[in-house]
Amino acid sequence: MEGVTVRSTLETVFRMESARIIATVTRVVRDVGIAEEIAQDALVAALEQWPRTGVPDNPGAWLTATAKHRAVDLVRRRETYARKLAEVGRALPEESYDPEPSGPGDIDDDVLRLVFTTCHPVLSAEARAALTLRLVGGLRTDEIARAFLVPEATVAARITRAKRALAKAGVEFEVPYGAERAARLDSVLEVVYLVFNEGYAATAGDDLLRPGLCEDALRLARGLAALMPGESEAHGLAALLELQASRAPARTGPGGRPVLLADQDRSRWNRLLVRRGYDALARAGGGRGYGPYALQAAIAACHARAGSYAETDWAVIAGLYGRLMELAPSPVVELNRAVAVSMAEGPAAALPIVDALAAEPALDRYHLLPSVRGDLLARLGRADEARAEFARAAELTRNESERALLRGRAGESGESGGPGGVRADRDGRP
């Protein structure tokens, strides 16, 4: 296998396996910063060996085993780790590595421990999100910076400080119990949601979807729901991700071009995931007791129940967004509500809502704001204004697939391609 091909394969495997490798090593060394360094050492070792020996039959197992052996060697070299070495020796077979989850509902326990570790309250909310996206989501620092609209140096500093803070505080690598687990739940749910969102609609790059991130987030959400069956929002998040993931096969067309919700072939939606989403939503409770994630799942369920785009109950969806605004108000939720209002009552009713959002600093460079406004103007017959809005949205997005679609909309004569112009099938909050 040629060197370039080996490197490409290794990069793909490492992105898919890095969370499990880091989690496995953290169980040995009890320090997420050191664990990430050892995982990187295993990557370097593969870069040196695989071009000569070829890619192993199970490259993930090779990387995990190599990283674990280096971790055990490190523990052995440090006298201060003597006691821990005895514990490691009893608990970990030298030759073993953690296998793949055995089924779609299973989860790697070490990865779950890693999520709870990176979401420890000793860290700020921003640091938790950045560190988890880095270690669990496998995102690069520049990708995280783009997702949060902050400089790359800011994200890098947050991650470095977070690792030091966890080490200084002596945070245990474990899934906490009782009140401590409940105290971390909101942060854990949020970062799992962020990992899924980056996979479902990539912030930047050539591809709209990053399926590996979606799958990781789904496993985590399912594991959290199983771990905490009495927590409504754990089931709400699981329901949301199942229902959103069900649309993935229909969200892109030839060449990876985005397909708007109005144009999607619903026969391609994954009905197994839809059923799993319905079941999880039922476990989340109902009525006014829904939390923010369950409300978003209820919105996604409305889309799933509609036999076609024309049959969607937009009035119900607009009402659900109104309730979401009461619980978790944000400009993005209000923008989504405007889209639903435009479909239930017409574009003229929604345009004032969107115009009012123009003054929101958080949406200043958010490409979906001009995209939605462009769609409303197109439906009102104001073609020239619509083209200008789509062109602005194309300039703001960092995803090449979306940029191509928006430029196409800008070149049209004002015909509507579905609410929001881009990503109209994404129900969510920032």
Side-chain angles (χ1 to χ4, degrees), residues 38-74:
I38 291 174
Q40 292 292 334
D41 287 345
L43 178 64
V44 172
L47 283 170
E48 294 172 348
Q49 295 183 38
W50 290 8
R52 299 194 310 269
T53 62
V55 177
D57 291 338
N58 192 332
W62 191 99
L63 288 167
T64 304
T66 298
K68 180 183 286 186
H69 292 157
R70 293 185 178 219
V72 173
D73 287 343
L74 175 64

Side-chain angles (χ1 to χ4, degrees), residues 149 201-202 208 251 260 331-336 338-339 354 357 362-376 389-390 392-399 402-403 405-406 418-429:
L149 302 179
L208 181 69
R251 293 187 66 237
L260 299 176
V332 174
V333 172
E334 184 70 349
L335 183 62
N336 278 312
V339 171
V354 174
L357 291 171
L363 300 184
D364 182 52
R365 300 195 59 79
Y366 186 58
H367 71 284
L368 291 186
L369 178 60
S371 176
V372 169
R373 192 169 190 274
D375 184 79
L376 298 179
E389 292 292 336
F390 287 131
R392 171 169 165 73
E395 292 175 0
L396 291 175
T397 186
R398 294 176 296 280
N399 184 281
E402 290 188 334
R403 181 174 290 120
L405 177 58
L406 286 163
V422 172
R423 268 194 242 174
D425 65 334
R426 182 180 181 181
D427 314 305
R429 56 180 182 151

Side-chain angles (χ1 to χ4, degrees), residues 38-274:
I38 291 174
Q40 292 292 334
D41 287 345
L43 178 64
V44 172
L47 283 170
E48 294 172 348
Q49 295 183 38
W50 290 8
R52 299 194 310 269
T53 62
V55 177
D57 291 338
N58 192 332
W62 191 99
L63 288 167
T64 304
T66 298
K68 180 183 286 186
H69 292 157
R70 293 185 178 219
V72 173
D73 287 343
L74 175 64
V75 171
R76 285 176 173 152
R77 288 197 304 269
R78 295 185 174 183
E79 292 183 359
T80 56
Y81 279 93
R83 179 180 55 82
K84 292 185 179 181
L85 175 60
E87 297 172 0
V88 170
R90 288 193 297 269
L92 298 175
E94 285 271 342
E95 72 283 357
S96 70
Y97 87 98
D98 295 324
E100 294 282 346
S102 60
D106 293 339
I107 184 171
D108 187 317
D109 287 341
D110 280 343
V111 176
L112 191 60
R113 292 187 187 100
L114 182 61
V115 173
F116 273 96
T117 300
T118 57
C119 289
H120 194 279
V122 73
L123 304 178
S124 68
E126 295 82 4
R128 294 173 207 162
L131 186 61
T132 307
L133 289 173
R134 170 69 178 171
L135 300 184
V136 179
L139 273 65
R140 300 190 309 271
T141 305
D142 62 311
E143 292 174 322
I144 301 170
R146 284 194 293 265
F148 286 97
L149 302 179
V150 297
E152 185 176 346
T154 299
V155 171
R158 285 177 184 171
I159 292 173
T160 299
R161 287 196 299 267
K163 293 175 185 175
R164 290 174 180 167
L166 291 176
K168 183 178 180 180
V171 173
E172 291 293 329
F173 181 64
E174 63 182 6
V175 175
Y177 294 91
E180 187 178 355
R181 178 188 293 178
R184 293 194 215 176
L185 180 61
D186 286 348
S187 291
V188 171
L189 294 178
E190 181 181 10
V191 295
V192 172
Y193 178 75
L194 288 171
V195 170
F196 181 86
N197 270 0
E198 184 60 28
Y200 189 73
T203 303
D206 296 330
D207 300 322
L208 181 69
L209 303 176
R210 297 175 64 175
L213 290 181
C214 289
E215 292 165 5
D216 287 344
L218 269 170
R219 282 198 297 270
L220 287 166
R222 291 165 182 162
L224 287 167
L227 182 69
M228 310 178 77
E231 291 288 347
S232 173
E233 277 291 77
H235 296 295
L237 178 64
L240 173 61
L241 302 196
E242 300 278 10
L243 289 164
Q244 295 289 73
S246 73
R247 305 177 196 167
R251 293 187 66 237
T252 55
R257 181 179 175 85
V259 178
L260 299 176
L261 181 61
D263 303 322
Q264 288 177 15
D265 178 1
R266 298 191 175 208
S267 68
R268 298 185 63 201
W269 288 8
N270 187 315
R271 304 316 297 183
L272 173 61
L273 293 181
V274 169

Side-chain angles (χ1 to χ4, degrees), residues 313-378:
D313 195 334
W314 289 102
V316 169
I317 291 175
L320 289 169
Y321 272 123
R323 287 169 56 188
L324 185 57
M325 276 296 292
E326 295 174 6
L327 288 181
S330 85
V332 174
V333 172
E334 184 70 349
L335 183 62
N336 278 312
R337 188 179 74 85
V339 171
V341 168
S342 78
M343 299 304 295
E345 303 175 25
L351 188 58
I353 302 173
V354 174
D355 287 344
L357 291 171
E360 287 286 347
L363 300 184
D364 182 52
R365 300 195 59 79
Y366 186 58
H367 71 284
L368 291 186
L369 178 60
S371 176
V372 169
R373 192 169 190 274
D375 184 79
L376 298 179
L377 292 170

